[in-house]
Amino acid sequence: MRKLFLLFLLSPFVALQAATASVEPQATDDSLKIYNRVLTTREMKEDLLLFRDIREKANSGLYRYRTKKQVDSIYKVAFREIRKPLTTTEYFKVILRLTDFEGSCHNYTEVGKDLMDFYNRQRGYFPYDLKYIQGNIIFNHQTTEIPAGSRVLSINGVPDTTLMQSFYKYFTADGFNTTQKWTGSVHRSFNYRYMIEYGVKDNFTVTFNPPYSKEVKTITLPAVTLTTRKENLTHRYSAAVDSLIDYNVQPKYSFRMVDNATGLLSFRIFSMADGADDPRFPGYVRFIDSVFQTLDKNAVPNLILDIRSNPGGSDPTFEQPMMYLTDHPFKENISAYANFDRDTIPYMQYFWGVSTDSKWGPEEVKAGRAFLKSYLLPYKNGKSYQDSAHNPVYHPKQPAYKGHLYLMIDENTASAASHLASLVRAYARNVTIVGVETVGGYYCHNGHAGVVYELPHSKIKTKFSIMYVVQDAPVKPMQPEGRGIMPDHEVWQSYEDYMNRKDSQMEHVLRLIREKKQ
């Protein structure tokens, strides 16, 4: 049963990759007008009313960061925007802003499959990778037209800052966090999102400054197919450094000694087991124990725990290393609930499943209902609380790690991974946190049980998690409300390190360790 619900716990980053699955271009007479149809005001109003009511009845975190007055206000603006007919993509942007406003990194919204497939077939993709470095858009390929490290000033006449800001709504975050919006607006936007935002283009006119130069140059690049773009991305300038924290490239978990005094324990994604009853779980637990046995036997004074760009996964995987890092018992949460009756899922006629990829059939729905019945207590006083059997107390394990822990996080650390970072901040001994504020929250999140609904007229699919989770996270002065886990040392990739293909954050941690020895 746990396996069915792994996608509940994963960050939307995994779903985003599925949305851009390669579809070979084909000779076709199809037109954007066929799939990006104009919606009537009646259709949009009915979908919007349904969208709001689904959120009210099934989304327990709707008012976590926004008051009812604030939510009412943004919906009032949305209803004004649909007083005239809009294309599906224009209406989609209205829904995106509402989704983003809620403040949950588990929220995800997608246009219908036919429209997405149309974009995947087009020769309309920006051909190369772009990277966010120190607030700028940096060209991330070495080409004859544009050298790597060039600062992009505009694309098709739209200035860099305007481009970035236009994509913020596509990247949801817990609370009021913006770090992933900044990088996502560059790294992950010049694909189908660009076509949704600016239309399908045959060419891209790029204005840029070459590296270390104020000279302004302009070049026009022809658009390419999705297949060509993906091939190009494998040759991006920063590929060697990027791959170090890419769960598609690296093993899910690994350990090695950097030197005699420093160990490196890395978790790229917490999908090494779907739960404690998964046959893979005991082997994973033995691996974690062997790591801490090695650290203890050799009295290793420094341990780097790297969870950068980890999108999350399933418990109890992320709790396992934490038990060796603390003297304090801990729980996954101190409270978790859905705001509807576990036996009466709201708006089942519009329910799609747990992933936008495929719609659930009757057997899957039956299994899902059984899961909720086992996972939640009977409805009482407006809430269905999580059964305490799914929220055990985790106790410290031996051999306890007594050295200095360096936790590495970034803006793409989400869901179960940011939850681990929250526990480390709360209870770990001798810890220094390095990197960038996580997209997942410190105090709470909406997670665990993701559901997807499809709006009947626009065919827009919207995903959110039904469980409001108050994490086992005591108040800390360095942890403001509505933010991710804050690093002790904020370290972004620097331009110089990018040009020299260095990992700025790892370099910083190793420098801290060297300085401590002196």
Side-chain angles (χ1 to χ4, degrees), residues 386-404:
Q386 179 190 50
D387 191 314
S388 60
H390 297 281
N391 186 33
V393 176
Y394 294 90
H395 296 280
K397 275 190 174 183
Q398 297 298 323
Y401 181 66
K402 300 292 188 179
H404 198 105

Side-chain angles (χ1 to χ4, degrees), residues 140-142 230-239 501:
N140 194 24
H141 283 260
Q142 190 66 262
K230 286 185 174 182
E231 290 172 354
N232 288 347
L233 294 187
T234 64
H235 303 293
R236 65 194 184 278
Y237 184 79
S238 65
R501 293 186 173 99

Side-chain angles (χ1 to χ4, degrees), residues 42-215:
R42 177 188 62 81
E43 289 174 323
M44 290 186 291
K45 183 177 180 181
E46 289 179 0
D47 272 10
L48 188 53
L49 287 168
L50 175 63
F51 181 85
R52 173 72 186 266
D53 208 35
I54 288 172
R55 310 309 264 209
E56 291 279 357
K57 289 182 169 59
N59 186 348
S60 57
L62 179 61
Y63 299 115
R64 176 61 187 87
Y65 298 107
R66 310 293 185 181
T67 65
K68 189 174 187 304
K69 183 178 180 180
Q70 289 173 320
V71 173
D72 288 344
S73 177
I74 194 171
Y75 272 88
K76 191 175 293 184
V77 171
F79 278 109
R80 282 203 301 267
E81 290 178 314
I82 63 171
R83 287 176 179 172
K84 61 180 182 179
L86 297 175
T87 62
T88 301
T89 52
E90 290 304 311
Y91 183 58
F92 174 65
K93 295 173 193 177
V94 175
I95 299 296
L96 274 180
R97 287 192 288 272
L98 298 173
T99 304
D100 180 40
F101 190 70
E102 292 173 9
S104 173
C105 74
H106 289 85
N107 283 3
Y108 175 64
T109 303
E110 183 182 287
V111 296
K113 184 178 185 300
D114 287 348
L115 181 52
M116 184 64 74
D117 286 347
F118 172 82
Y119 286 129
N120 286 344
R121 289 194 297 268
Q122 302 313 299
R123 187 180 296 277
Y125 286 84
F126 190 80
Y128 299 113
D129 189 43
L130 300 171
K131 201 166 182 68
Y132 176 92
I133 303 287
Q134 296 178 322
N136 298 321
I137 300 177
I138 300 300
F139 191 78
N140 194 24
H141 283 260
Q142 190 66 262
T143 71
T144 55
E145 300 96 344
I146 308 177
S150 297
R151 179 187 171 184
V152 174
L153 303 175
S154 68
I155 296 177
N156 287 342
V158 181
D160 54 354
T161 54
T162 303
L163 279 168
M164 288 187 278
Q165 291 167 6
S166 69
F167 293 116
Y168 286 175
K169 59 184 174 287
Y170 291 85
F171 303 100
T172 57
D174 283 355
F176 313 109
N177 182 13
T178 57
T179 53
Q180 193 196 80
K181 293 179 182 293
W182 297 342
T183 59
S185 70
V186 179
H187 299 333
R188 295 161 51 200
S189 295
F190 290 85
N191 45 34
Y192 71 92
R193 292 189 182 90
Y194 183 93
M195 289 188 273
I196 289 175
E197 196 68 23
Y198 293 100
V200 180
K201 306 297 183 184
D202 295 326
N203 299 288
F204 297 91
T205 299
V206 181
T207 302
F208 65 96
N209 298 137
Y212 307 107
S213 171
K214 294 298 183 182
E215 181 184 6

